[in-house]
């Protein structure tokens, strides 16, 4: 594929994904049609179908791309460090999300953000669980499992509410607040 054609393809896909993200802000994803997307993206129907079979295939690609970006991010940070330095990890996640805040804010209007966050947790769940158990702070796998579910659910909820504008603060402020809550919980839990 020639370079100009490749750039055009990337541009078209990005227009489609951004249009879907914008539409999600005003309409349930299950009600969004290909016509809605092509109108919002200002592209032809042929351009849409050159890249995607239907709206669900756009949703799946967005979820897969976002999941891969976050997996790459976590891998660079070091999954073993997540439980050791949760404050720094949360700060890095907040900064990452704030780089395209409007896009992620739009994704919070649907289940897409929830879906890929839970898929991310599932990718690392066993590693995180083993890491928690191996610290010796938690007596058994069931106890560590409960703790991990509690922390990941709380962090996800705070981040989604921050992205949707219900919680105010900079990435540093949110990370600091969330880090303190997790730290307080760890102290309480370890007693």
């Amino acid at each position: 594929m020639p370079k100009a054609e490749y750039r055009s393809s990337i541009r078209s896909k990005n227009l489609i994904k951004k249009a879907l993200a914008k539409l999600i802000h005003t309409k349930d994803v299950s009600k969004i049609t290909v016509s809605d997307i092509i109108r919002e993206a200002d592209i032809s129907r042929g351009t849409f179908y050159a890249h995607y079979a239907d709206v669900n295939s756009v949703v799946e690609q967005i979820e897969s791309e976002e999941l891969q970006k976050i997996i790459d991010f976590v891998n660079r940070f070091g999954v073993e460090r997540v439980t050791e330095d949760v404050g720094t990890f949360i700060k890095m996640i907040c900064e990452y999300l704030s780089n395209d805040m409007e896009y992620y804010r739009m994704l919070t209007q649907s289940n897409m953000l929830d879906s890929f966050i839970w898929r991310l947790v599932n990718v690392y769940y066993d590693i995180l669980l083993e890491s928690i158990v191996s610290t010796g702070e938690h007596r058994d796998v069931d106890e560590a499992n409960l703790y991990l579910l509690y922390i990941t659910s709380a962090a996800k909820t705070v981040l989604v509410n921050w992205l949707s504008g219900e919680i105010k603060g900079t990435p540093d402020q949110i990370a600091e607040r969330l880090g303190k809550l997790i730290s307080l919980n760890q102290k309480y839990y370890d007693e």
Side-chain angles (χ1 to χ4, degrees):
M1 179 183 294
K3 214 175 209 179
E5 197 175 315
Y6 177 73
R7 276 192 297 250
S8 176
S9 175
I10 290 173
R11 182 180 168 280
S12 295
K13 286 180 177 181
N14 285 336
L15 285 171
I16 292 166
K17 289 184 282 188
K18 292 279 186 180
L20 176 62
K22 189 171 183 181
L23 289 165
I24 287 170
H25 194 61
T26 59
K27 201 174 192 180
D28 185 76
V29 73
S30 65
K31 305 237 187 285
I32 296 172
T33 65
V34 171
S35 295
D36 293 331
I37 293 173
I38 62 175
R39 195 171 22 259
E40 182 65 39
D42 196 23
I43 60 170
S44 71
R45 187 171 294 279
T47 299
F48 179 90
Y49 285 115
H51 303 291
Y52 299 102
D54 54 22
V55 175
N56 286 335
S57 63
V58 182
V59 171
E60 289 169 9
Q61 183 172 8
I62 289 172
E63 284 183 350
S64 294
E65 286 175 357
E66 292 307 318
L67 182 65
Q68 191 56 54
K69 284 180 195 176
I70 302 243
I71 287 171
D72 293 345
F73 175 81
V74 173
N75 286 340
R76 282 192 305 275
F77 182 78
V79 71
E80 294 79 21
R81 283 183 54 204
V82 171
T83 56
E84 296 167 9
D85 193 3
V86 72
T88 301
F89 178 69
I90 291 170
K91 180 180 176 191
M92 290 174 71
I93 289 284
C94 288
E95 288 171 352
Y96 173 83
L97 294 172
S98 72
N99 287 332
D100 200 355
M101 189 79 149
E102 192 55 36
Y103 178 69
Y104 290 108
R105 183 168 283 143
M106 285 187 258
L107 292 180
T108 63
Q109 304 301 313
S110 76
N111 288 332
M112 289 169 97
L113 196 62
D114 281 352
S115 175
F116 89 78
I117 289 174
W118 286 120
R119 284 174 58 195
L120 173 69
V121 168
N122 287 334
V123 166
Y124 291 109
Y125 201 86
D126 291 336
I127 296 168
L128 291 171
L129 188 62
E130 178 58 35
S131 179
I132 290 169
V133 170
S134 70
T135 64
E137 295 171 1
H138 305 281
R139 304 284 181 255
D140 62 40
V141 173
D142 289 336
E143 202 171 297
N145 184 45
L146 180 62
Y147 176 74
L148 184 57
L149 286 171
Y150 176 76
I151 293 300
T152 54
S153 296
K156 179 200 74 77
T157 301
V158 168
L159 291 175
V160 167
N161 282 283
W162 172 59
L163 288 169
S164 69
E166 293 177 40
I167 297 174
K168 306 291 184 222
T170 65
D172 285 346
Q173 291 168 331
I174 296 302
E176 182 181 340
R177 291 176 194 157
L178 195 49
K180 281 181 184 177
L181 290 171
I182 291 171
S183 179
L184 285 172
N185 185 64
Q186 284 174 326
K187 288 176 188 170
Y188 171 77
Y189 188 77
D190 293 339
E191 291 178 352

